[in-house]
Amino acid sequence: MRKNIDAICIIDDDPITIFCIKKLLKFVVNCPDISTHLNGKIAIDYINSLVERKEAFPKVIFLDINMPVMDGWQFLEEFIALPIKEIIKINIITSSIDPLDIEKFEQFKRRTKHNIHFSHKPIGREEIEEIINRK
């Protein structure tokens, strides 16, 4: 049985990755609102607007690290400072093999109540299912 989620957010500057995640999500979840953003600045502005209007925000975020304008780490820094009461599932998806990225991930994981995980690209259907069903 597919899970129901009101909103999911994909933040990635690679249109192929966005396409693939959206395609895989269709097999795993019923979600009427999948927003996509090409960098962290556009995404944080979108989420700030939801906070200002007191609207529900995405329950699951797929976040790339390396993007122009505002990268994933800068996005996370601003996101975890927001007055969001719910615990959001944030899955970092990256092609990076830099050990410093794992260290940064661990630091963010310790600093926030949100459920943060780390995956490498390409991401497959089983990983999408695991992310969606994670508590």
Side-chain angles (χ1 to χ4, degrees):
M1 188 162 115
R2 293 180 347 161
K3 194 167 188 170
N4 294 316
I5 295 178
D6 293 334
I8 294 173
C9 181
I10 304 168
I11 308 166
D12 200 311
D13 62 328
D14 178 21
I16 294 170
T17 299
I18 291 172
F19 174 81
C20 291
I21 292 172
K22 285 178 82 172
K23 197 80 162 161
L24 292 170
L25 283 168
K26 288 180 182 180
F27 293 107
V28 177
V29 67
N30 296 317
C31 182
D33 181 11
I34 300 175
S35 64
T36 60
H37 310 279
L38 296 176
N39 65 57
K41 176 72 173 127
I42 296 167
I44 202 69
D45 288 348
Y46 167 73
I47 290 172
N48 276 322
S49 74
L50 296 176
V51 170
E52 286 171 16
R53 295 190 312 260
K54 296 184 168 86
E55 292 182 20
F57 22 86
K59 303 296 182 244
V60 178
I61 296 174
F62 292 89
L63 177 63
D64 186 24
I65 294 174
N66 298 311
M67 295 177 287
V69 184
M70 177 187 274
D71 69 20
W73 302 126
Q74 293 166 317
F75 168 85
L76 263 180
E77 195 66 52
E78 290 197 28
F79 183 82
I80 67 173
L82 292 173
I84 298 172
K85 292 185 176 143
E86 299 107 306
I87 295 174
I88 308 299
K89 295 177 189 177
I90 302 170
N91 196 75
I92 296 167
I93 49 168
T94 183
S95 54
S96 171
I97 56 170
D98 187 343
L100 291 175
D101 286 332
I102 297 288
E103 285 180 35
K104 282 184 184 178
F105 156 70
E106 292 293 344
Q107 290 170 3
F108 274 104
K109 196 172 174 179
R110 286 190 296 272
R111 289 178 47 210
T112 185
K113 67 179 178 193
H114 298 295
N115 192 342
I116 303 179
H117 292 275
F118 193 94
S119 300
H120 284 95
K121 291 180 183 180
I123 192 164
R125 182 176 173 170
E126 285 100 27
E127 262 186 296
I128 298 274
E129 283 180 32
E130 184 183 316
I131 291 161
I132 295 299
N133 293 315
R134 204 176 274 144
K135 298 208 184 229

